[in-house]
Amino acid sequence: GNDDELMHLFTEWIGNGILAQQHTKYCGDKGALWHRTRKTAAAIFTRCNLKTLMEPTFTKKARDLVALLKQAKGEKVDMQGKFFAFTMDSIMKVFFGRESDTLT
């Protein structure tokens, strides 16, 4: 039906992560996958982690991105690629404690 088509388009756009997981009692697993995913995410996104690890990481990566864009001096920049690199570098630091520099 229309709901299945909409869900297919939505997952094509943002993937199969928590934002696309159904979590009502009417979906196939009654929301079990969503609840499991949310519980995992909640353990990562604590107030302490946001303040002590995520904020400084995102701020540093944002400054790195701005510096890189300034160096481009009007040249075309693949922003989708840079945003992907920003995200992956940030995830490596926040989730795994490892530095990576795929922005450059």
Side-chain angles (χ1 to χ4, degrees):
N2 281 347
D3 288 343
D4 290 337
E5 184 178 340
L6 180 61
M7 197 62 192
H8 171 74
L9 292 172
F10 191 65
T11 56
E12 284 291 313
W13 182 50
I14 66 164
N16 290 320
I18 192 168
L19 298 176
Q21 292 172 0
Q22 296 183 19
H23 58 281
T24 68
K25 63 183 178 181
Y26 304 108
C27 66
D29 69 351
K30 298 188 178 358
L33 178 60
W34 180 85
H35 283 284
R36 211 172 31 252
T37 305
R38 188 184 181 295
K39 188 173 183 175
T40 300
I44 295 168
F45 293 99
T46 64
R47 182 180 304 259
C48 181
N49 277 350
L50 284 169
K51 192 67 180 162
T52 62
L53 188 56
M54 290 182 195
E55 181 183 336
T57 298
F58 295 143
T59 299
K60 180 189 179 309
K61 293 300 174 183
R63 287 187 178 130
D64 292 348
L65 180 57
V66 168
L68 186 129
L69 294 174
K70 285 181 179 179
Q71 289 176 2
K73 298 184 182 183
E75 303 259 336
K76 288 184 180 181
V77 175
D78 174 10
M79 291 305 296
Q80 183 175 2
K82 295 303 176 193
F83 286 140
F84 180 80
F86 174 93
T87 302
M88 293 311 295
D89 287 350
S90 298
I91 287 171
M92 286 298 293
K93 179 65 176 171
V94 172
F95 289 6
F96 304 109
R98 304 278 186 202
E99 288 289 341
S100 62
D101 188 17
T102 60
L103 268 172
T104 56

